[in-house]
Amino acid sequence: MIGRRDGPLMRSGGYSLSFWKSRIAAAIAVGVAIGCVFAFFFPDGPFSVAGPPLQNRRLVNTQGESSSSSCESSERVNMLKSEYVAVSQKNAELKKEVRELMEKFKLAEQGKDQAQKQVLSLGQQQKAGPFGTVKGSRINPTVVPDDSVNLRLAKILEKVAVNRELIVALANSNVKEMLEVWFTNIKRVGVLNYLVVALDEDIAKFCEANSVPVYKRDPDKDVDSVGRTGGNHAVSGLKFRILREFLQLGYSVLLSDVDIVYLQNPFNHLYRDSDVESMTDGHDNRTAYGFNDVLDEPGMGWARYAHTMRIWVYNSGFFYIRPTIPSIELLDRVAGRLSRENAWDQAVFNEELFFPSHSGYDGLHAARRTMDFYLFMNSKVLFKTVRKDAALSKIKPVIVHVNYHPDKLPRMKAVVEYYVNGKEDALKPFPDGSDW
Ligand SMILES: *[C@@H]1O[C@H](CO)[C@@H](O)[C@H](O)[C@H]1NC(C)=O
């Protein structure tokens, strides 16, 4: 695998196998034709012609031979000789070409899988349009739904999802109070397509008692012991495994933590053009959407400025993910790494999404979109900027995610007071950051 993508196959223009096969067939046909020419002019083989090698014969000729009959025959021999030289030169060229073709064919065979995968994913070849009119596709096709993955979940989703999409949150008893604020506000903005994945019995009952759509994991499934007893990171790994089933069943999921207050219907504010559309931990245009961060190394003199690409991480607690192959690959890669490494799921999620392929590493090729950071607002943006800005504080976000503050429940309630009940002072008691 390593290096194949940079290999000569791609540089040679990505010709198909059948192209090389036809080139080789043509070369063989020319070879056979040359064989026929030889058979015609040299029935006894090229080396049976009497006389010294060509170079000497030419010298003999220029010295002059008197007999007319011998002159005639020597002229004919000369003609044949020069023809032989031309043909053997041509033959050498053809041999070289065949050798090159065989080499390319071998490389094409080696790269066959890669090339075929490429053809499958790129579809029909097309000509590029005029300047300024070409646009690459970021909308990957969705997978064929496979109900056999989880029939019970498939039945639930048939009832709950709208337009094959829904909000999904994982919850255990530790987050019960936040979950209540979470679903109360979802109901208030009129969203029907949401589902709680209950990680314990208590939460399942709590949801049922409140008419909240709930899905209990099969207690026999081994991953579920993690959900009941596991720490934060273990639950995070579980999240990506559970999500996979939703995507395999053909649904787009708006994955949501429970420390989120819904103020508008999020489905009216999605683009749905990327594999992953995520809220950001960034707090302004640059940090949210990416910028060129220039590092100054005066010791480098003329080249003292090193340009770097920076973007604040995507928030792995609120993202919309379409059921595509790159999306499922992302979930697998993240879950796989979380099971092997003791890592923070959000860091892993971002590394898998953003790091490019390089030697020894195939990067993920998923389409990404950053959500508007004023509409899908993190609590740093709200408490550091928006609440102090006369204009910004008038705009109602779609959601507020209390991700930057440990006192989640009181801040969630304050967000509801401020945006829903119109209490202008509701956000004032809280410091910008946490106190410690
Ligand atoms: C941020 O970007 C938006 C849209 O691209 C623009 O309208 C706005 O002026 C920018 N804000 C700042 C502070 O540059």
Side-chain angles (χ1 to χ4, degrees):
M1 291 297 284
I2 295 164
R4 192 172 291 165
R5 286 185 179 176
D6 314 325
L9 171 70
M10 291 302 127
R11 281 202 300 274
S12 71
Y15 292 123
S16 68
L17 281 185
S18 60
F19 170 83
W20 295 119
K21 279 175 182 164
S22 68
R23 291 291 303 264
I24 288 168
I28 289 167
V30 171
V32 169
I34 288 164
C36 292
V37 170
F38 270 97
F40 180 77
F41 287 111
F42 307 102
D44 301 325
F47 303 106
S48 65
V49 176
L54 201 73
Q55 192 65 20
N56 294 350
R57 176 48 70 113
R58 194 151 60 86
L59 287 171
V60 169
N61 262 348
T62 51
Q63 282 157 6
E65 280 182 53
S66 53
S67 143
S68 75
S69 73
S70 83
C71 183
E72 215 172 76
S73 78
S74 82
E75 253 172 33
R76 175 154 172 74
V77 166
N78 280 343
M79 207 179 74
L80 286 174
K81 289 293 178 189
S82 60
E83 201 137 358
Y84 168 65
V85 170
V87 163
S88 55
Q89 268 170 3
K90 185 123 212 276
N91 198 22
E93 277 167 24
L94 274 169
K95 268 188 189 158
K96 188 162 163 272
E97 195 175 346
V98 167
R99 217 169 32 236
E100 284 170 1
L101 281 173
M102 291 305 284
E103 204 61 36
K104 284 178 178 166
F105 181 74
K106 213 168 71 190
L107 286 166
E109 278 288 329
Q110 285 169 359
K112 192 167 64 175
D113 288 347
Q114 209 63 37
Q116 275 172 350
K117 270 183 216 151
Q118 249 189 6
V119 167
L120 281 177
S121 67
L122 296 178
Q124 284 257 302
Q125 273 191 311
Q126 54 184 11
K127 286 182 183 169
F131 174 80
T133 66
V134 296
K135 201 171 178 197
S137 172
R138 48 197 70 57
I139 308 180
N140 286 309
T142 54
V143 296
V144 176
D146 180 3
D147 281 5
S148 70
V149 169
N150 188 332
L151 284 169
R152 192 164 62 86
L153 181 59
K155 286 219 176 73
I156 293 172
L157 294 183
E158 233 165 73
K159 277 188 242 152
V160 173
V162 175
N163 296 327
R164 295 195 83 79
E165 59 187 12
L166 75 162
I167 300 171
V168 173
L170 273 66
N172 62 19
S173 296
N174 300 334
V175 297
K176 193 170 176 177
E177 285 176 297
M178 279 194 282
L179 183 67
E180 186 168 15
V181 179
W182 182 84
F183 65 62
T184 303
N185 284 282
I186 286 181
K187 288 178 180 180
R188 201 176 36 70
V189 298
V191 172
L192 300 171
N193 47 331
Y194 68 106
L195 183 69
V196 173
V197 178
L199 300 177
D200 59 40
E201 199 57 40
D202 185 37
I203 279 293
K205 291 213 176 87
F206 182 60
C207 288
E208 278 157 8
N210 288 280
S211 312
V212 169
V214 64
Y215 161 61
K216 274 176 288 182
R217 292 283 294 168
D218 185 343
D220 293 337
K221 290 210 174 179
D222 55 353
V223 282
D224 277 37
S225 64
V226 179
R228 282 191 300 274
T229 60
N232 230 355
H233 290 178
V235 174
S236 298
L238 174 70
K239 173 170 94 181
F240 296 97
R241 289 183 193 274
I242 292 176
L243 261 187
R244 187 190 215 276
E245 291 188 351
F246 286 78
L247 300 204
Q248 276 184 286
L249 294 172
Y251 292 87
S252 297
V253 172
L254 183 57
L255 187 281
S256 175
D257 281 354
V258 294
D259 54 347
I260 291 176
V261 179
Y262 287 76
L263 301 166
Q264 299 185 54
N265 185 337
F267 293 108
N268 298 337
H269 298 271
L270 297 175
Y271 286 79
R272 300 178 178 84
D273 65 348
S274 304
D275 296 305
V276 176
E277 189 172 341
S278 178
M279 81 169 287
T280 171
D281 273 6
H283 54 271
D284 56 18
N285 281 356
R286 283 158 42 95
T287 56
Y289 308 140
F291 66 108
N292 181 358
D293 192 18
V294 182
L295 175 78
D296 188 4
E297 273 185 88
M300 285 303 293
W302 178 74
R304 64 186 287 175
Y305 300 114
H307 294 256
T308 72
M309 297 290 103
R310 293 196 74 187
I311 188 167
W312 264 228
V313 289
Y314 278 4
N315 189 291
S316 62
F318 189 86
F319 58 89
Y320 180 77
I321 186 163
R322 294 178 63 246
T324 66
I325 292 297
S327 295
I328 294 171
E329 185 185 354
L330 171 69
L331 297 178
D332 288 358
R333 289 166 76 121
V334 174
R337 273 187 61 189
L338 290 175
S339 70
R340 295 188 300 272
E341 303 166 20
N342 185 22
W344 183 31
D345 72 307
Q346 180 158 287
V348 172
F349 180 75
N350 278 274
E351 286 169 9
E352 294 298 328
L353 263 180
F354 285 91
F355 286 168
S357 300
H358 53 263
S359 55
Y361 177 78
D362 279 342
L364 183 76
H365 290 255
R368 311 167 299 242
R369 171 181 282 280
T370 311
M371 289 173 171
D372 186 296
F373 67 90
Y374 286 130
L375 295 180
F376 297 88
M377 192 184 290
N378 63 57
S379 56
K380 179 158 139 185
V381 171
L382 176 61
F383 286 95
K384 257 192 81 176
T385 320
V386 166
R387 67 170 169 166
K388 302 168 188 170
D389 185 296
L392 291 175
S393 60
K394 300 278 182 297
I395 303 167
K396 187 183 264 195
V398 177
I399 62 142
V400 173
H401 188 179
V402 187
N403 60 322
Y404 269 105
H405 299 91
D407 47 346
K408 292 173 184 297
L409 189 60
R411 288 195 194 237
M412 283 175 82
K413 287 179 172 167
V415 167
V416 175
E417 288 299 303
Y418 182 81
Y419 283 111
V420 180
N421 301 328
K423 290 196 180 157
E424 289 190 3
D425 293 341
L427 301 174
K428 292 222 167 97
F430 298 93
D432 286 4
S434 70
D435 278 332
W436 51 282

